[in-house]
Amino acid sequence: EALNTVILGISRDGVKTHCGFIEQENLNFILLSDKEKVYHEAFQVLKPKKMYGKDVIGVIRSTFIFNEMGDLVHELRAVKAEQDPYEVLALIEKM
């Protein structure tokens, strides 16, 4: 709030799964369900991966930062959950 920022998360999981995850992780932001993969495809985050030796289509964890006008101003791909918040915060503070 101090940086006039709204955080949204999007995954292919359903709302019921999100509710449990939000509670388990004590999240303070909204998670949106994109089971139809509309936003995943629009932001091109679905990529072929190997999982347990099998070819699958997986999500490349990414962060997109928009300005107050709704323009995409930063795009971070293949982010690590441990490092991404710090990088995102630094970018938002510069806006």
Side-chain angles (χ1 to χ4, degrees), residues 7-58:
I7 298 173
L8 302 173
I10 301 177
S11 87
R12 297 181 293 176
D13 293 328
V15 173
K16 185 177 180 180
T17 301
H18 282 175
C19 289
F21 185 73
I22 290 167
E23 185 175 319
Q24 174 187 333
E25 299 297 325
N26 197 28
L27 299 182
N28 62 351
F29 57 88
I30 297 170
L31 285 181
L32 303 174
S33 176
D34 186 28
K35 290 181 94 170
E36 290 78 27
K37 300 179 268 189
V38 172
Y39 292 99
H40 285 74
E41 291 172 1
F43 286 93
Q44 301 174 346
V45 296
L46 298 174
K47 302 291 180 188
K49 292 178 159 183
K50 290 269 189 200
M51 185 177 287
Y52 305 112
K54 294 183 180 181
D55 292 326
V56 297
I57 298 296

Side-chain angles (χ1 to χ4, degrees), residues 78-90:
V79 300
K80 302 291 184 206
E82 301 81 23
Q83 300 163 335
D84 187 52
Y86 302 104
E87 187 173 356
V88 170
L89 181 58

